Amino acid sequence: MSVLIYIELDNGSIKKTSLETIAYGAKVAEQTGGAATVIAIGKAEEGELQKAGQYGAAKVLHASDEKLSHENSLAYADVLAQATQQEGSKVIILSKSGLGDAIAARLAAKLKAGIVSGVTSLPEIGVTFKVTRSIFTGKAFAVTEISSDIKILVVKKNVIEIDESALPTLQATIEVFNPTLDDADFKAEVVEVEKASSELSLTEAQIIVSGGRGMKGPEHWQPLLDLAKALGAATGCSKPVSDLDWRPHHEHIGQTGIKVAPNLYIACGISGAIQHLAGVNGSKCIVVINKDPEAPFFKAADYGIVGDVFEILPKLTEAAKSL
Ligand code: FAD
């Protein structure tokens, strides 16, 4: 079965989550005895796109028309539909993100394809595809069967392990892809793109240090920022913290904010309300620092430190610096 994998680009680089998606798609292709083809939309150097080969893709279709340089789910869904037709793809795989979901929904409508979003495992492949997906903001899992001819899977982060130190030196071949663009997809004009102030994107970060109301106020954030710097981590926060303007809104993590899935999530002075947990339960390891031993976050933690953040954070920073 031919598998088409959509990858997201960030300033010409393949996003980390998309590298995982390629590896996932390559495994599905392997399971079905088909080829894994990547579709990249936007500007990127050939050398960067060839990296897809290391993760298991044989070929990359590159659509780099200037009109496609700004994220546009309508146009991108059209591009993917045309790539699907050209490649005869039966499975289309995207990363779980705002853009991934927006494209996937439109693509499913165009192709009359079955779609599952929030996939957390490789599919069980028989006459149909059986996939597990997370539901109720990660509190439970559902097994869903897709029986349509074309199947679309929107895959969550951290679904498969990749050993970055043992990647093969394979390079994917790059093919220029020139889809027909429909003016109707470009009715909204992008006037300006404002970059988030944080250097590291929360959805891409391997480590996140996040603060809650227990940090007491914006003027007390420095110990948290110091730890983040020492660990090369992105910074996040709970909803009240961004509501109070202690931290920018793009750092708000949770059910109504960004959903993150880093390797390490360090929660500082966050109580662990279900709405916050809904945004972090994809993390591989959660460390909670809270002075209240009864704080609910400890139940979701892999490691817990009962203590005052203002005493603990400098110690952790010192330890991180000495690594
Ligand atoms: P608090 O609940 O006030 O907790 C502060 C914690 O800091 C306490 O556990 C306290 O023991 C600890 N603490 C205090 N001082 C110290 C210290 N010196 N050292 C160590 N620990 C200390 N919240 C989100 O975060 N994200 C969401 O997306 C979100 N969406 C929501 C959607 C809805 C519809 C609703 C109703 C709520 C939502 N909330 C969300 C809010 C959520 O319910 C909680 O109110 C919020 O997460 C609490 O934030 P907090 O943990 O920072 O603050």
Side-chain angles (χ1 to χ4, degrees):
M1 238 179 230
S2 162
V3 176
L4 185 72
I5 305 147
Y6 167 65
I7 55 169
E8 292 183 31
L9 300 172
D10 182 18
N11 267 330
S13 300
I14 304 175
K15 286 191 181 176
K16 166 100 186 35
T17 41
S18 287
L19 293 173
E20 281 181 34
T21 310
I22 300 172
Y24 179 96
K27 282 222 156 46
V28 176
E30 203 179 290
Q31 280 177 304
T32 59
T37 299
V38 159
I39 170 96
I41 306 176
K43 297 268 173 269
E45 297 292 330
E46 203 166 282
E48 176 66 16
L49 296 179
Q50 281 168 342
K51 265 193 346 204
Q54 294 180 280
Y55 294 83
K59 182 168 79 177
V60 178
L61 302 177
H62 187 200
S64 61
D65 190 303
E66 188 60 38
K67 280 179 97 175
L68 296 166
S69 53
H70 293 299
E71 287 180 2
N72 176 337
S73 56
L74 287 173
Y76 286 16
D78 257 347
V79 175
L80 260 72
Q82 291 173 53
T84 304
Q85 205 173 18
Q86 175 182 301
E87 297 298 308
S89 309
K90 292 294 178 195
V91 187
I92 302 157
I93 296 178
L94 304 94
S95 316
K96 176 91 181 146
S97 67
L99 181 64
D101 270 329
I103 298 173
R106 289 170 169 85
L107 186 63
K110 272 180 199 300
L111 301 176
K112 303 208 179 334
I115 175 172
V116 179
S117 180
V119 172
T120 57
S121 67
L122 282 165
E124 260 179 56
I125 300 173
V127 182
T128 61
F129 265 33
K130 247 191 222 174
V131 280
T132 307
R133 70 188 167 105
S134 82
I135 55 168
F136 301 133
T137 61
K139 286 242 161 305
F141 296 96
V143 177
T144 307
E145 233 172 310
I146 324 180
S147 54
S148 53
D149 182 34
I150 297 177
K151 300 162 181 72
I152 300 178
L153 307 181
V154 187
V155 181
K156 283 189 88 166
K157 211 177 150 192
N158 287 338
V159 168
I160 55 167
E161 286 282 337
I162 301 174
D163 183 356
E164 296 282 344
S165 63
L167 290 173
T169 50
L170 298 171
Q171 290 188 339
T173 53
I174 313 297
E175 265 181 30
V176 174
F177 186 60
N178 285 320
T180 309
L181 300 179
D182 182 350
D183 283 345
D185 291 342
F186 297 92
K187 281 188 182 151
E189 186 194 349
V190 179
V191 190
E192 193 186 342
V193 177
E194 199 178 316
K195 270 269 168 209
S197 58
S198 158
E199 283 173 24
L200 276 168
S201 135
L202 275 173
T203 49
E204 292 287 297
Q206 298 295 303
I207 306 177
I208 295 172
V209 185
S210 190
R213 249 188 318 216
M215 291 298 297
K216 310 288 187 218
E219 67 281 17
H220 300 299
W221 230 259
Q222 199 53 46
L224 187 154
L225 299 177
D226 290 343
L227 178 62
K229 191 169 173 209
L231 292 170
T235 52
C237 67
S238 66
K239 182 174 184 297
V241 163
S242 67
D243 287 348
L244 289 162
D245 269 342
W246 293 2
R247 296 296 298 168
H249 278 280
H250 62 77
E251 287 196 1
H252 160 195
I253 292 171
Q255 185 185 329
T256 46
I258 294 179
K259 317 257 180 317
V260 297
N263 287 338
L264 176 61
Y265 186 80
I266 305 178
C268 312
I270 304 179
S271 56
I274 45 165
Q275 295 90 353
H276 188 82
L277 296 181
V280 305
N281 53 20
S283 309
K284 278 201 185 142
C285 178
I286 295 179
V287 175
V288 170
I289 310 167
N290 198 305
K291 69 177 185 186
D292 174 8
E294 301 297 322
F297 218 148
F298 283 122
K299 289 204 179 99
D302 296 284
Y303 299 95
I305 304 172
V306 179
D308 188 326
V309 273
F310 300 105
E311 284 173 23
I312 310 288
L313 281 171
K315 288 183 186 159
L316 288 180
T317 305
E318 217 167 290
K321 279 184 182 163
S322 66
L323 285 176

